[in-house]
Amino acid sequence: GCCNSCRRELFVLTYGALVAQLCKDYEKDEDVNKYLDRMGYDIGIRLVEDFLARSAVKKCRSYSETVDMIAQVAFKMYLGITPSVSRSNTTENEFFLILENNPLVDFVEELPAGRTSLCYCNILCGVIRGALEMVHLAAEVNFIQDRLKGDDFTEIGITFLKKLEDKKHKRNK
Amino acid sequence: MADSPLFQALHMEMAHALCEEQEKGLSVLEGVGFRVGQGLSERLTKEMPSFKDELDVLKFLCKDLWVTVFKKQVDNLRTNHQGTYMLQDNQFLLLTQLSNGKQYVEEAPKFLAFTCGLVRGALSNLGFDSTVTAEVPVMPSCKFQVVIQKS
């Protein structure tokens, strides 16, 4: 009866316990944030294989298509949510994911005491960055707004950088 | 959605990242598992009638808890009826991601620590203090030994 939702909760509970442990180990919020991002990166570079195997998507031909895929296919598949996507009208190649609800914080009402700069879900940024790098797209990914910090909504920013060059192109330089 | 690989991916990464300094890392990882075991056992037993005895609790671990976390039941449960239990899983989910090569048997403790904590935490939530250890006789099977502490 309870098994399916409990499995999703398993990930959320585990993530919460991990964050709690990191808060014990690291005094500075930035250190916890960095650690979560790094772990996310390691997960992202491996998860992308799983994603491509499960989703049989065709190759994206633009940054915009890529971000749509992240929001509508990947987030849906792994977290059961579909963030809405928008793009910056001032900065080229910058996109935003707005998370209406976020299962990672299902059991979190507020940040732990004294942890005002903690990016609780920072692992997500690392995962996205790692996954993109595996498909040869370099990007900066971070939280722009965070409900847990008192903002109106939770928003992730993805800014694509120059495309990673293949080794064979480097040889010609 | 039920088949999300996120938990496995997170577990694998925790085993690597937290255990970079092996000794301390294993106990940290066990502690994370402990907290998850407490929380998970709480949620799973919410709608359930109370257990009639210690063996009933162990059966719950081997069935409901194991299926939730490892997508299958424990294959074999043995006890000496004096507080010691042995749980055997012949296709332990968290080991099947690793190759069957001998070198991984040395690495195995990293991939067992979380689950030892998970079991200990679940038991703790249900009122039992215990020690939990694990060994890998041959990949990917795993034996967990649970010793319930007498109060």
Side-chain angles (χ1 to χ4, degrees):
Chain A
C2 167
C3 264
N4 283 350
S5 62
C6 282
R7 236 175 248 155
R8 187 192 304 196
E9 286 180 1
L10 170 64
F11 172 67
V12 174
L13 281 173
T14 305
Y15 186 71
L18 170 67
V19 176
Q21 181 60 47
L22 293 179
C23 286
K24 256 201 214 161
D25 291 341
Y26 298 99
E27 230 179 270
K28 292 206 224 140
D29 293 345
E30 311 130 48
D31 291 335
V32 180
N33 293 342
K34 266 197 234 153
Y35 200 100
L36 287 172
D37 181 79
R38 196 192 76 175
M39 286 185 77
Y41 178 83
D42 287 344
I43 290 174
I45 61 180
R46 290 195 292 264
L47 200 65
V48 76
E49 239 181 76
D50 179 89
F51 173 68
L52 294 175
R54 284 164 186 260
S55 59
V57 288
K58 54 183 178 33
K59 195 171 154 69
C60 289
R61 286 158 310 173
S62 68
Y63 291 143
S64 174
E65 265 183 43
T66 306
V67 179
D68 282 342
M69 171 126 81
I70 292 173
Q72 290 155 18
V73 186
F75 263 85
K76 179 91 184 135
M77 182 182 295
Y78 293 111
L79 290 172
I81 56 172
T82 311
S84 52
V85 178
S86 66
R87 80 188 287 174
S88 167
N89 32 16
T90 51
T91 312
E92 204 190 343
N93 300 334
E94 184 178 20
F95 295 81
F96 308 108
L97 299 176
I98 297 180
L99 281 63
E100 285 299 328
N101 43 321
N102 179 1
L104 276 187
V105 301
D106 270 351
F107 307 134
V108 183
E109 278 167 22
E110 50 184 13
L111 290 175
R115 290 286 180 181
T116 49
S117 302
L118 177 67
C119 289
Y120 187 88
C121 299
N122 221 35
I123 207 167
L124 294 179
C125 297
V127 174
I128 295 171
R129 196 176 89 254
L132 286 173
E133 195 170 297
M134 285 307 276
V135 295
H136 306 295
L137 293 174
E140 274 170 14
V141 188
N142 36 48
F143 277 93
I144 311 249
Q145 298 204 60
D146 191 344
R147 266 217 196 96
L148 282 179
K149 289 183 183 160
D151 296 320
D152 288 331
F153 39 82
T154 297
E155 185 178 33
I156 296 177
I158 304 176
T159 305
F160 291 94
L161 311 172
K162 194 164 74 82
K163 250 196 166 115
L164 295 179
E165 297 175 65
D166 286 354
K167 280 200 171 133
K168 60 179 188 237
H169 291 142
K170 272 192 180 142
R171 226 183 286 140
N172 292 335
K173 290 209 148 121
Chain B
M1 211 12 242
D3 203 29
S4 171
L6 280 186
F7 167 71
Q8 278 171 252
L10 182 61
H11 174 270
M12 171 84 90
E13 181 52 28
M14 287 194 307
H16 284 128
L18 295 176
C19 290
E20 269 169 0
E21 312 151 49
Q22 261 266 10
E23 247 181 75
K24 182 188 167 231
L26 290 178
S27 92
V28 165
L29 196 45
E30 204 267 0
V32 174
F34 181 84
R35 243 196 299 254
V36 178
Q38 286 183 312
L40 196 61
S41 129
E42 178 66 33
R43 301 189 81 76
L44 285 173
T45 57
K46 241 187 194 149
E47 313 281 311
M48 288 171 85
S50 40
F51 297 104
K52 50 181 187 6
D53 57 21
E54 191 179 276
L55 181 60
D56 231 24
V57 172
L58 266 294
K59 286 183 183 169
F60 155 77
L61 289 188
C62 293
K63 290 190 197 158
D64 305 76
L65 187 90
W66 225 257
V67 165
T68 301
V69 183
F70 307 114
K71 305 182 192 175
K72 61 183 282 291
Q73 296 186 10
V74 160
D75 293 304
N76 196 356
L77 171 67
R78 295 214 298 265
T79 179
N80 63 0
H81 296 289
Q82 284 170 21
T84 300
Y85 298 83
M86 201 279 297
L87 287 66
Q88 182 162 339
D89 186 330
N90 295 324
Q91 280 280 127
F92 188 54
L93 184 74
L94 302 178
L95 291 178
T96 55
Q97 295 173 280
L98 307 177
S99 125
N100 283 356
K102 265 218 172 95
Q103 72 270 32
Y104 287 101
V105 178
E106 279 163 27
E107 298 266 293
K110 281 193 210 174
F111 298 97
L112 305 174
F114 176 89
T115 303
C116 289
L118 183 85
V119 171
R120 196 171 63 86
L123 286 168
S124 165
N125 175 251
L126 297 171
F128 296 96
D129 282 334
S130 63
T131 58
V132 183
T133 53
E135 56 166 16
V136 177
V138 60
M139 294 277 273
S141 78
C142 192
K143 283 186 179 164
F144 294 88
Q145 185 181 37
V146 178
V147 179
I148 307 283
Q149 311 292 287
K150 294 288 175 243
S151 44

